[in-house]
Amino acid sequence: MGTKVMIFMLGTLTVLLILLGVYGRTMDTKMLIFTPIISVASGIFLLALYRSVANKLQGIWQQWRDTYTWSRDDLNTKALIRAFVIEVVFQRKLYRDDRLRWARHIFIYWGFVGLWIFDGIFFFFTKILNLQPRHPFHLFLDFGLDLYGGVLLLGLSVALIRAYFVRGSKGSIYNDTPAVSLLFVVTATGFFLEALRLVSVPYEPYMSWSFLGLALASALGSLNWPWASVYEVTWIFHAVIASVSIAYIPLSRMVHIFAVPLGRLLESQQEMLAVKIQSIGRGLMGK
Amino acid sequence: MEQVGFYFNEKKCTKCHACEIACKLWNNFDLGPRVRRVVKVSQGKYPAIRQINISLSCMHCGDAPCVKACPVNALSKAVVDGRVMVDTASCIGCSFCTWACPFNAPQIGTDGKMVKCHFCPDRPLGMPRPCEEVCPTGALLSGTMRELDEMARQRSAKRLISEAEPAFYVEV
């Protein structure tokens, strides 16, 4: 219990301090609302991830150390790397089982991974190093964020359409509609926000790098709405729903995005599984 | 709760693997995972080596480590008879249970979901399990732990020793 509280507190505090450090002096109403919410959501995320993945693996490892003789030399590094590339990066098991399932998994997984990487770099360069919007690297980041966001949105759309068609059938055992819907809303509102940002200012060629946001902005531009005020409300909605989804991921079946790759890596160590079976003999036949 | 379990007589086992096939056929399991399998267990070094065969499946452990290891609580222990059951809809196929199990009983099927012995719930208790029914030498038996315990005492069989308290006796 103490460890869990500590993880929650540390996670919350870390995010809070980062955001206060970056935005502290220029904090507007939006950030005042967003900062505590995302900090608590991150704390819940870390705590739930610890409880459902790290803690379980720790228990398995503890049992291993107590029961079997195993040293670091027994680790099959080659098989581990091979499993990482084939099973984690390219998800071969899914490919062999069902191509459509594989495609939507690849889109969602790589959409997510790409988005998180680009978001992290974007945050660092624009908020900490104050990279200017017209800088070529900024434009590259704009492109990457739109690309991976689009890939993610495509994967989530396929998942939702499939979930609709297989409802009530045996295929529905793969559905996690609440979590997918939540992520779909987060991603869609992210694009909507980007479009609102672009439609509120006169067009400039550099905006073309945000190709999906700009396409949506062109569609919105034909409507004569007060987009600037819509932007504020959408921003808060997006921030809150994104925070909720961050906290919800490790609490739902979506935790598989962390647990399954780890399981695939464990599976690569088949020699370790064989050790367990052979150890049964110790109890039955003596030393 | 009346815990159910298995009793295996190694001396009677002829390694015919009929139990594996009966399990697969009765439950219509995929080709990949072997929910029941006859494994060779060796002890010692040549020339003083000893080898026995054991028909292994889920042992429906009293303190099942797989239940504790599941990140989404897809595994549970039935209150009535202590079977360890899996909720396929909740399973995410991470295989943490395989690693937690001292006997590698849970396996990932071709559909990406965990599959393991569920003690054939479509057969009433008291009736032999398909793996037991098909065994030509009667090496494999099932029953309540009270019944199996009594049999083990008479035949001086051993209960598999593990902290997980597996519901499994072996007569070697």
Side-chain angles (χ1 to χ4, degrees), chain A residues 52 56 60 63 97 101 173-174 253 256 259-260 263-264 266-267 269 273 276-278 281-282 284-286, chain B residues 40-43 54 68-71 89-96 98-101 104 110-111 113 158:
Chain A
S52 55
K56 307 283 181 183
I60 294 170
Q63 186 191 321
D97 181 30
R101 245 180 93 208
I173 55 168
Y174 300 110
R253 287 186 65 234
H256 80 269
V260 175
R264 295 288 175 269
L266 281 174
E267 269 177 32
Q269 305 302 304
L273 287 179
K276 283 203 278 179
I277 295 297
Q278 289 309 316
R282 270 194 311 226
L284 295 174
M285 297 181 278
Chain B
K40 277 182 189 170
V41 177
S42 316
Q43 199 69 36
I54 309 179
K68 292 185 212 159
C70 183
S90 303
C91 175
I92 55 172
C94 65
S95 78
F96 282 14
T98 312
W99 287 86
C101 173
N104 303 337
T110 48
D111 61 353
K113 301 279 185 177
K158 289 179 185 173

Side-chain angles (χ1 to χ4, degrees), chain A:
Chain A
M1 189 65 189
T3 319
K4 288 176 184 175
V5 172
M6 205 170 75
I7 289 167
F8 175 72
M9 299 292 281
L10 277 177
T12 310
L13 266 175
T14 309
V15 178
L16 195 66
L17 288 173
I18 292 171
L19 289 172
L20 285 175
V22 176
Y23 294 104
R25 281 169 294 172
T26 58
M27 212 172 243
D28 56 7
T29 320
K30 289 188 310 234
M31 283 310 292
L32 277 173
I33 299 169
F34 178 60
T35 304
I37 295 175
I38 188 67
S39 303
V40 172
S42 303
I44 295 171
F45 173 86
L46 288 173
L47 174 64
L49 201 61
Y50 169 79
R51 195 182 60 119
S52 55
V53 178
N55 201 26
K56 307 283 181 183
L57 282 176
Q58 202 181 4
I60 294 170
W61 177 237
Q62 186 70 44
Q63 186 191 321
W64 255 95
R65 277 200 318 200
D66 296 348
T67 320
Y68 315 105
T69 41
W70 188 85
S71 72
R72 196 170 279 186
D73 299 336
D74 297 326
L75 183 76
N76 189 341
T77 319
K78 213 172 161 183
L80 195 73
I81 295 168
R82 199 179 136 82
F84 178 76
V85 175
I86 295 174
E87 299 297 350
V88 177
V89 175
F90 294 110
Q91 307 184 6
R92 184 180 61 176
K93 256 190 184 174
L94 274 177
Y95 181 78
R96 284 180 173 170
D97 181 30
D98 181 345
R99 300 282 156 90
L100 183 65
R101 245 180 93 208
W102 173 78
R104 74 170 198 269
H105 265 90
I106 283 284
F107 285 152
I108 295 173
Y109 191 79
W110 284 105
F112 246 130
V113 171
L115 213 51
W116 279 347
I117 292 171
F118 270 82
D119 249 339
I121 301 170
F122 188 84
F123 180 83
F124 181 75
F125 276 90
T126 60
K127 307 299 177 195
I128 296 174
L129 299 182
N130 285 321
L131 190 72
Q132 293 309 301
R134 284 172 186 77
H135 192 280
F137 189 63
H138 195 294
L139 300 179
F140 166 72
L141 293 176
D142 286 344
F143 176 78
L145 283 168
D146 259 38
L147 178 73
Y148 281 105
V151 168
L152 176 61
L153 200 64
L154 180 67
L156 293 168
S157 308
V158 173
L160 284 175
I161 293 167
R162 187 195 163 277
Y164 176 78
F165 282 107
V166 300
R167 69 191 191 285
S169 73
K170 199 191 166 198
S172 65
I173 55 168
Y174 300 110
N175 291 352
D176 188 4
T177 311
V180 174
S181 307
L182 197 61
L183 293 175
F184 182 86
V185 172
V186 174
T187 319
T189 51
F191 274 116
F192 188 54
L193 263 181
E194 174 76 343
L196 290 176
R197 188 179 65 80
L198 296 173
V199 81
S200 309
V201 290
Y203 171 77
E204 283 191 51
Y206 80 89
M207 292 176 180
S208 305
W209 289 91
S210 305
F211 60 102
L212 287 174
L214 190 67
L216 193 58
S218 312
L220 294 178
S222 57
L223 302 167
N224 195 17
W225 278 35
W227 294 120
S229 50
V230 176
Y231 177 84
E232 296 295 313
V233 178
T234 313
W235 195 98
I236 293 170
F237 176 75
H238 176 73
V240 171
I241 200 95
S243 304
V244 169
S245 68
I246 285 172
Y248 183 66
I249 283 173
L251 296 170
S252 72
R253 287 186 65 234
M254 269 284 167
V255 73
H256 80 269
I257 62 175
F258 301 102
V260 175
L262 288 168
R264 295 288 175 269
L265 295 179
L266 281 174
E267 269 177 32
S268 70
Q269 305 302 304
Q270 287 296 317
E271 297 87 347
M272 287 172 78
L273 287 179
V275 166
K276 283 203 278 179
I277 295 297
Q278 289 309 316
S279 75
I280 298 171
R282 270 194 311 226
L284 295 174
M285 297 181 278
K287 297 261 173 184

Side-chain angles (χ1 to χ4, degrees), chain B residues 58-69:
Chain B
C58 172
M59 319 250 174
H60 302 279
C61 299
D63 186 20
C66 56
V67 175
K68 292 185 212 159

Side-chain angles (χ1 to χ4, degrees), chain B residues 27-86:
Chain B
N27 293 293
N28 204 15
F29 284 139
D30 286 337
L31 277 176
R34 290 154 72 198
V35 172
R36 175 166 288 285
R37 66 214 151 107
V38 180
V39 296
K40 277 182 189 170
V41 177
S42 316
Q43 199 69 36
K45 281 185 182 160
Y46 180 82
I49 194 161
R50 200 182 157 204
Q51 195 171 64
I52 59 169
N53 305 293
I54 309 179
S55 176
L56 285 181
S57 72
C58 172
M59 319 250 174
H60 302 279
C61 299
D63 186 20
C66 56
V67 175
K68 292 185 212 159
C70 183
V72 288
N73 301 321
L75 286 150
S76 60
K77 205 154 160 59
V79 182
V80 186
D81 49 22
R83 299 172 206 232
V84 175
M85 306 297 283
V86 58

